[in-house]
């Protein structure tokens, strides 16, 4: 996870990790978990909400995935970044503000060095979203931007989400992790809907831990249930994600 700097911002938090059983957790100087990894399966997606951040796969041809570009705002424990690069074999770009997080992911969380498919960029997600450099080139934008207090998204205004939309290809989608009180979720959902259009927004039910993943499409589409079920089955077969279960808790926000 990452946060954007402000003129009055405190120093970036220290980064550490803890091991509990067969899992390793990333922390930003507090007890809040900023990401996790199974020690015996470091390239799999461990947390339920992180798996749901891959829901954009329901809206694309599985055969096209390896030709696509995935971008993460907020590296966390690099789970999404590693999965997109190694398992999906997509071109993958991660934007992270805190250099300690990048170093921790490379040292403790099996994040590989940059190569032809992977680029980890030290930078401000707000500035990246507003720039022209990646505009119209991102097929899957995954936004998970929380600071060490994990109270609400650090970047969560309509302008930011409009810039995110402009990064996407025509059939691209953004997934966002929203964690916190229901009132905070509703405000965030209103901003995403204003930026993308109400018909473009889908949402999961919250996980037990309180994470709600929202998906917003650059170009709204409503696939038939049978098509989504077929895609879900393909996702499970190819990438071992619980996509059929997603369909029971994933719906358009506006019908």
């Amino acid at each position: 996870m990452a946060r954007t700097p402000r003129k009055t911002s405190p120093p970036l938090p220290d980064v550490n990790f803890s091991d509990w059983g067969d899992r390793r957790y990333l922390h930003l100087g507090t007890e809040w978990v900023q990401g996790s990894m199974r020690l015996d399966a470091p390239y799999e997606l461990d947390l339920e909400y992180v798996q749901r951040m891959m829901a954009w796969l329901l809206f694309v041809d599985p055969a096209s995935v390896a030709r696509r570009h995935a971008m993460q705002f907020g590296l966390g424990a690099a789970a999404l970044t590693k999965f997109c690069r190694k398992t999906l074999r997509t071109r993958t770009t991660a934007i992270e503000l805190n250099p300690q997080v990048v170093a921790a992911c490379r040292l403790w969380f099996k994040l590989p060095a940059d190569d032809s498919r992977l680029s980890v960029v030290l930078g401000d997600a707000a500035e990246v979203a507003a720039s022209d450099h990646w505009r119209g080139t991102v097929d899957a934008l995954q936004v998970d931007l929380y600071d060490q207090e994990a109270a609400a998204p650090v970047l969560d205004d309509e302008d930011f989400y409009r810039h995110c939309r402009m990064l996407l290809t025509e059939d691209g989608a953004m997934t966002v992790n929203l964690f916190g009180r229901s009132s905070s979720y509703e405000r965030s959902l209103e901003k995403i809907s204003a930026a993308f259009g109400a018909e473009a927004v889908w949402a999961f039910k919250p996980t037990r831990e309180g994470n709600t993943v929202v998906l917003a499409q650059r170009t709204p589409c409503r696939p038939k249930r049978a098509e989504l079920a077929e895609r879900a089955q393909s996702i499970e077969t190819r990438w071992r994600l619980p996509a059929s279960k997603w369909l029971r808790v994933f719906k358009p926000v506006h019908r």
Side-chain angles (χ1 to χ4, degrees):
M1 301 182 184
R3 64 191 190 93
T4 188
R6 298 288 184 266
K7 291 181 180 179
T8 57
S9 289
L12 293 170
D14 290 332
V15 177
N16 59 348
F17 76 93
S18 63
D19 288 345
W20 182 264
D22 65 346
R23 284 171 170 78
R24 175 164 293 171
Y25 299 100
L26 180 74
H27 308 276
L28 299 182
T30 73
E31 65 183 8
W32 288 102
V33 170
Q34 302 286 336
S36 74
M37 177 184 73
R38 284 177 51 196
L39 295 172
D40 61 348
Y43 297 101
E44 294 183 6
L45 299 180
D46 181 32
L47 299 176
E48 184 177 33
Y49 93 84
V50 178
Q51 294 174 349
R52 293 177 177 186
M53 296 285 280
M54 302 302 302
W56 61 272
L57 291 169
L58 290 168
F59 299 95
V60 299
D61 179 357
S64 74
V65 168
R67 300 191 299 272
R68 293 181 178 270
H69 178 202
M71 177 178 282
Q72 293 84 44
F73 280 170
L75 185 60
L80 289 168
T81 303
K82 292 185 299 183
F83 189 85
C84 288
R85 176 198 173 272
K86 182 176 176 62
T87 304
L88 300 187
R89 301 189 65 80
T90 59
R91 176 189 168 205
T92 306
T93 305
I95 310 297
E96 172 57 50
L97 183 67
N98 191 337
Q100 288 188 54
V101 171
V102 177
C105 286
R106 294 234 151 97
L107 185 61
W108 301 323
F109 291 90
K110 306 288 187 183
L111 177 66
D114 286 7
D115 58 20
S116 60
R117 291 203 315 273
L118 175 64
S119 179
V120 178
V121 179
L122 281 173
D124 183 330
E127 293 179 1
V128 170
S131 73
D132 294 335
H133 184 72
W134 279 290
R135 185 165 295 182
T137 70
V138 179
D139 297 291
L141 178 62
Q142 297 163 312
V143 181
D144 196 359
L145 294 167
Y146 285 80
D147 63 12
Q148 65 270 28
E149 301 302 327
V154 174
L155 296 175
D156 187 44
D157 59 65
E158 188 176 330
D159 282 345
F160 171 67
Y161 291 125
R162 288 187 188 279
H163 290 147
C164 287
R165 183 179 183 275
M166 294 174 71
L167 290 176
L168 298 174
T169 57
E170 285 302 314
D171 64 347
M174 173 186 73
T175 48
V176 184
N177 172 39
L178 299 177
F179 176 77
R181 302 182 307 276
S182 59
S183 58
S184 172
Y185 165 75
E186 291 296 339
R187 288 194 298 270
S188 297
L189 190 63
E190 287 177 5
K191 296 166 188 173
I192 294 169
S193 297
F196 280 79
E199 294 300 313
V201 182
W202 301 60
F204 283 91
K205 292 182 179 178
T207 65
R208 286 177 304 233
E209 296 77 19
N211 299 84
T212 301
V213 172
V214 173
L215 179 143
Q217 301 168 298
R218 172 70 185 256
T219 305
C221 70
R222 296 289 175 87
K224 299 292 186 182
R225 186 77 179 180
E227 182 181 353
L228 289 174
E230 183 178 350
R231 288 267 174 84
Q233 186 59 53
S234 180
I235 292 166
E236 290 189 0
T237 301
R238 288 171 180 255
W239 300 302
R240 298 173 60 190
L241 292 169
S244 294
K245 293 181 180 178
W246 294 347
L247 299 183
R248 298 198 290 268
V249 291
F250 181 60
K251 301 269 189 305
V253 171
H254 298 279
R255 303 196 179 202

